[in-house]
Amino acid sequence: AIEEVSMHASKQYGLEKMLNAMKAEWGPLEFEVKEYRSTGTCVIGGLDDIITLLDEHIVKTQTMRGSPFVKGILDDCIGWETQLKYAQSMLDEWVKVQRTWMYLEPIFASEDIMRQLPQEARA
C-alpha cells in the first residue's frame, strides 16, 4: 500500500514538473515586431516557433489529462490547456487580421483611392 501511494505521488510529481516546465518555457518568449514597409504600422512576425510550441504544449497537456495520476493537478492542467487554446485562437485571429490588412493597405494607400475617398484616407 505504501509503495502504491509512493508511486502515485511520484508519477503526479513528474506530471507537475512537466506542467511547470511548460509554463517556464513561455517566460523568455517575445513576439518579433517590425515595421511594415514605410507605413508607420508594425506587424508581428516570426510566429512559426511560437505556434509550434503552442501546438506541442496543447498535445502534452491533453496527454497529461489522460493520465490516471493527474487528479491532484487536474485543475491546473485544465487551466493551462484553456490558456494555451485561448492563445492559439488569439494568434490565429491576429494573423488573419494582419494578413487582410497587409493585403488591403496598398490598395487604400494608393493616390487614386486617396483622391476618391479623401475623408477615409485621413483616418
Side-chain angles (χ1 to χ4, degrees), residues 31-85:
F31 287 104
E32 178 187 327
V33 180
K34 53 190 175 191
E35 186 172 347
Y36 181 71
R37 296 185 182 166
S38 297
T39 62
T41 301
C42 294
V43 295
I44 58 172
L47 291 176
D48 293 343
D49 291 342
I50 292 174
I51 291 171
T52 299
L53 188 63
L54 260 175
D55 291 341
E56 286 175 10
H57 283 190
I58 288 171
V59 169
K60 280 184 185 178
T61 305
Q62 289 171 339
T63 301
M64 286 173 62
R65 285 188 54 203
S67 169
F69 308 106
V70 76
K71 289 181 180 137
I73 60 166
L74 183 60
D75 289 342
D76 289 341
C77 204
I78 290 171
W80 180 241
E81 183 181 9
T82 300
Q83 286 181 336
L84 291 172
K85 286 182 175 180

Side-chain angles (χ1 to χ4, degrees), residues 18-38:
M18 189 186 323
L19 184 62
N20 289 334
M22 280 192 282
K23 290 178 180 181
E25 277 189 74
W26 289 95
L29 288 181
E30 294 181 355
F31 287 104
E32 178 187 327
V33 180
K34 53 190 175 191
E35 186 172 347
Y36 181 71
R37 296 185 182 166
S38 297

Side-chain angles (χ1 to χ4, degrees), residues 7 15-16 21-22 24 52 79 81 100 110 114 118:
M7 182 195 66
L15 292 174
E16 192 171 358
M22 280 192 282
T52 299
E81 183 181 9
T100 302
S110 73
M114 289 177 144

